[in-house]
Amino acid sequence: MKKLIVIVGPTAVGKTATGISLAKTFHGEVISGDSMQVYKGMDIGTAKVTKEEMDGVPHHLIDIRDPRESFSVADFQAQAKESIGEIHNRGKIPLIVGGTGLYINSVIYDYDFSSSEGDSDFREELEMYAKNYGNEALHEKLKMIDPISYGELHPNNVRRVIRALEVYHVTGKTIGDRPDQPETSPYDATVIGLTMEREKLYERIDLRVDRMIAEGLIEEAKHFYDQGIRNCQSVQAIGYKEIYAYFDGELTKEEAIELLKRNSRRYAKRQLTWFRNKMDITWFSMTTDQEKKLKEIHQFVEGKLF
């Protein structure tokens, strides 16, 4: 089977730098496992890797969508699989690096998004419900029956929300628990998780937000706001929705920044819960002596590749 290295973990834990370090050592190329870095121009708010940080390592699935377009887990899966094949054909090792768990798992286990039976009447009923009561109300229907999808899917991604509700309606199981999802991977996948003591991680998240503001996050968000880009999957992401609330007069600038920090911390907590429940991961704590931990990760990967 084709080798695949995967690096996951919460926001701000150090995935990007770790992935680049491994790619340089083991002749790899990086596939972004982040659902928001696909959007052009959304650089600061998504902590998108810069050309300087790439240090010559090719990166894929970055800047491939207009912010007005949607990008589903099925879209990600198809493009990531294509990139994996192309990277292997070049004699390189693919590394998926990111924090969007459902997207990454769909590739590792080759989820089948088309095989479940459908119920067109039920689907139309949900579409009408969303039109009458709004996307948020439809999204809330997921909360009790499928909290994982509820946390992963944005309310404005109506198609995917409806699909998750339809799968449960038809099969009695959530998308993640469906029996048609393979339990084995088509890849020889090594999944590495980076974690960190909570207090230090939250401190890093707060500092990252401060750095984003200093680097121009508000101006970046204003660019999309002035273009009338609203109610799109892209600008509902953490980092943009809070700033939009400031532009709309719902929050002061200071309140928006504090809310962004709080939402980022809560997202990191949800990420860790998801990874621990849904993926087979070898964890490395980056709380102290990160240089030593990086050497351990390199040794671990070397043992898996050779």
Side-chain angles (χ1 to χ4, degrees):
M1 293 189 292
K2 294 177 180 178
K3 300 281 188 179
L4 175 65
I5 305 299
V6 181
I7 302 172
V8 299
T11 185
V13 78
K15 299 183 296 295
T16 298
T18 301
I20 291 169
S21 177
L22 290 172
K24 291 180 68 175
T25 298
F26 299 107
H27 307 289
E29 298 185 19
V30 172
I31 299 168
S32 170
D34 186 293
S35 62
M36 290 295 119
Q37 291 188 359
V38 298
Y39 291 112
K40 298 174 184 176
M42 295 179 64
D43 303 332
I44 300 171
T46 65
K48 193 178 293 178
V49 61
T50 66
K51 289 292 183 183
E52 292 75 18
E53 289 169 336
M54 289 181 189
D55 200 14
V57 174
H59 279 62
H60 306 271
L61 271 62
I62 292 175
D63 294 333
I64 61 172
R65 281 286 194 278
D66 183 274
R68 295 176 180 84
E69 299 176 307
S70 64
F71 189 73
S72 71
V73 59
D75 294 331
F76 174 84
Q77 182 199 56
Q79 297 211 23
K81 288 167 66 176
E82 182 178 347
S83 293
I84 289 170
E86 292 171 351
I87 293 167
H88 273 290
N89 288 340
R90 288 191 286 271
K92 300 290 189 68
I93 299 294
L95 297 93
I96 300 180
V97 181
T100 308
L102 180 62
Y103 282 46
I104 295 171
N105 238 20
S106 77
V107 176
I108 296 175
Y109 293 105
D110 199 18
Y111 284 5
D112 183 356
F113 293 104
S114 62
S115 63
S116 282
E117 306 86 348
D119 183 334
S120 59
D121 290 339
F122 182 72
R123 192 161 56 246
E124 290 176 10
E125 179 183 320
L126 293 177
E127 290 169 354
M128 186 60 65
Y129 185 88
K131 288 179 181 177
N132 291 337
Y133 300 102
N135 297 350
E136 293 277 356
L138 178 71
H139 187 242
E140 284 297 312
K141 285 179 171 287
L142 269 179
K143 196 169 189 177
M144 292 300 294
I145 65 170
D146 188 354
I148 298 296
S149 292
Y150 174 81
E152 286 283 336
L153 296 173
H154 189 272
N156 289 335
N157 196 348
V158 174
R159 183 172 65 87
R160 294 303 306 163
V161 171
I162 289 177
R163 182 57 179 155
L165 290 164
E166 183 185 17
V167 166
Y168 187 84
H169 171 73
V170 172
T171 68
K173 295 182 179 292
T174 66
I175 284 180
D177 291 335
R178 281 188 297 159
D180 61 354
Q181 302 302 355
E183 294 182 0
T184 57
S185 175
Y187 303 108
D188 181 2
T190 299
V191 186
I192 295 164
L194 306 184
T195 187
M196 187 174 286
E197 190 272 326
R198 181 175 294 183
E199 185 175 334
K200 182 171 183 179
L201 178 63
Y202 286 0
E203 180 182 323
R204 283 171 63 95
I205 289 170
D206 288 350
L207 288 172
R208 170 182 275 191
V209 171
D210 289 335
R211 187 167 64 249
M212 286 177 172
I213 297 299
E215 291 175 352
L217 173 59
I218 292 175
E219 293 76 12
E220 182 175 273
K222 189 67 160 58
H223 171 73
F224 298 117
Y225 185 87
D226 289 344
Q227 289 186 29
I229 299 177
R230 303 179 68 89
N231 301 319
C232 296
Q233 181 180 346
S234 59
V235 294
Q236 294 298 323
I238 295 172
Y240 296 91
K241 63 181 180 180
E242 296 86 359
I243 305 301
Y244 266 47
Y246 161 55
F247 296 149
D248 287 337
E250 298 171 6
L251 300 172
T252 66
K253 179 180 175 180
E254 292 72 23
E255 288 170 341
I257 293 170
E258 285 306 310
L259 181 61
L260 171 51
K261 290 178 178 180
R262 189 194 74 181
N263 287 345
S264 297
R265 294 192 298 265
R266 289 180 175 179
Y267 178 57
K269 184 178 179 180
R270 292 198 306 271
Q271 285 176 300
L272 281 168
T273 299
W274 199 97
F275 290 132
R276 286 169 175 156
N277 289 338
K278 291 289 185 178
M279 298 180 75
D280 183 14
I281 296 172
T282 300
W283 290 96
F284 292 86
S285 173
M286 309 300 284
T287 301
T288 58
D289 202 347
Q290 294 182 14
E291 187 174 335
K292 179 182 177 182
K293 286 296 181 180
L294 188 57
K295 288 181 181 179
E296 292 178 10
I297 293 170
H298 275 252
Q299 292 171 353
F300 176 75
V301 170
E302 185 175 14
K304 293 292 184 177
L305 293 178
F306 307 107

